[in-house]
Amino acid sequence: MTRFGYTLMTEQSGPKDLVRYAISAERAGFDFEVSSDHYFPWLSSQGHAPYAWSVLGAVAHATERVELFTYVTCPTMRYHPAIVAQKAATLQILADGRFTLGLGSGENLNEHVVGERWPTVTRRQAMLKEAIQIIRELFTGELVDWKGEYFEVDSARLWDLPETPVSIATAVSGERSVEIFAPLSDHLIAVEPNKDLVHAWHEQRRGTGLTGDVRVVGQIPICWDRDRDTAVARAHDQFRWFAGGWSVNADLPTTAGFDGATQFVRPEDVAESIPCGPDLDAIVDAVSEYWEAGFTDVALVQVGGESQDLFLEEAAGPLLEKLRSAAN
């Protein structure tokens, strides 16, 4: 059965609003909620970037049923992996076992703020691999000393461990990242409905003797509105950064850079890649590419902070009914 989630997009809403949306999304019937973890919005027009972990702590207490994910946290530059392990364990306790730690190799947009040089993709993946190994060691509750190529840990131990161990989901985009992270992770995160990528992940895990249920968690932007022209304009204003693809998105350091890189993206270009307007069937058609590619979980991003209340009140329930009927 495909599960459908709601995205707490920290780039487009403030912390109190995000908690309120989380409560409304649970009431609307979403199965899980994912939170981005940004220091910057993608574009200045989005206007927000609160600290995701504080928001998730509040959401954990304000909700009862929905599963929670970071989507995704980079545990290599802005955060040391030992600190990520500590806050993940704490959040799992607050969430009563509903939390999954989603990890990725990060974007320059968020990581440059600590003044470190932005590494190449090969080095970023090597750093993420070592970070996951450290986090796994600390999740055992044992005293950890580590001196690796990128990180050191000096006599660290997690004193508050959850009864339900924290699962790790890792974001990948190609063959090399699948080879590296499938053996280290419990679940897969990807933002494109790539059937070959999903198949390669499962094959890699089987080849290393790993068993158990693997969740494949995707994400898709939508821009629901009663009026299609309004939806297209909003998607273009706040989500045209999406047109660059992740090879570009990972490397640009500022909102000004994203604004410049997308200055020639037209509203109709955005509308071709993001379902916009009141047509729920069009949204279902776009999301269907994910479950057809083998994704078990799909999180929706409703574009525009100002549109969340109306979307959750008016569209979310009927949309979830259509999605579940089509997928299952």
Side-chain angles (χ1 to χ4, degrees), residues 189-266:
I189 287 174
V191 294
E192 295 180 355
N194 187 330
K195 184 176 183 179
D196 292 338
L197 189 74
V198 175
H199 177 74
W201 181 275
H202 291 311
E203 285 296 304
Q204 185 69 27
R205 285 181 60 85
R206 281 194 289 266
T208 53
L210 295 172
T211 60
D213 293 333
V214 175
R215 297 174 70 169
V216 182
V217 189
Q219 186 182 60
I220 181 172
I222 65 171
C223 195
W224 177 88
D225 196 278
R226 293 170 178 168
D227 178 72
R228 187 176 187 276
D229 290 341
T230 300
V232 171
R234 185 170 68 240
H236 178 258
D237 178 54
Q238 297 196 24
F239 234 81
R240 66 184 183 277
W241 62 271
F242 203 72
W246 288 105
S247 59
V248 173
N249 296 344
D251 286 335
L252 293 177
T254 64
T255 54
F258 278 95
D259 187 61
T262 59
Q263 62 181 309
F264 300 114
V265 177
R266 303 169 301 172

Side-chain angles (χ1 to χ4, degrees), residues 12-28:
Q12 66 181 16
S13 299
K16 288 188 175 181
D17 283 336
L18 288 165
V19 176
R20 183 163 55 83
Y21 301 152
I23 297 168
S24 296
E26 182 177 63
R27 289 174 179 167

Side-chain angles (χ1 to χ4, degrees), residues 124-203:
R124 295 199 303 269
Q125 289 178 348
M127 294 172 71
L128 179 57
K129 177 181 178 180
E130 187 173 321
I132 293 174
Q133 292 170 327
I134 291 169
I135 291 167
R136 289 284 195 197
E137 289 289 324
L138 286 164
F139 280 168
T140 66
E142 300 296 325
L143 192 69
V144 175
D145 281 289
W146 183 282
K147 185 173 179 62
E149 184 175 357
Y150 301 103
F151 303 106
E152 292 188 23
V153 179
D154 185 3
S155 302
R157 175 188 170 189
L158 297 184
W159 290 87
D160 289 277
L161 286 173
E163 293 183 5
T164 302
V166 180
S167 295
I168 293 177
T170 306
V172 301
S173 58
E175 181 179 340
R176 175 176 169 77
S177 55
V178 167
E179 292 177 357
I180 295 171
F181 298 115
L184 297 174
S185 311
D186 301 298
H187 308 297
L188 164 64
I189 287 174
V191 294
E192 295 180 355
N194 187 330
K195 184 176 183 179
D196 292 338
L197 189 74
V198 175
H199 177 74
W201 181 275
H202 291 311
E203 285 296 304

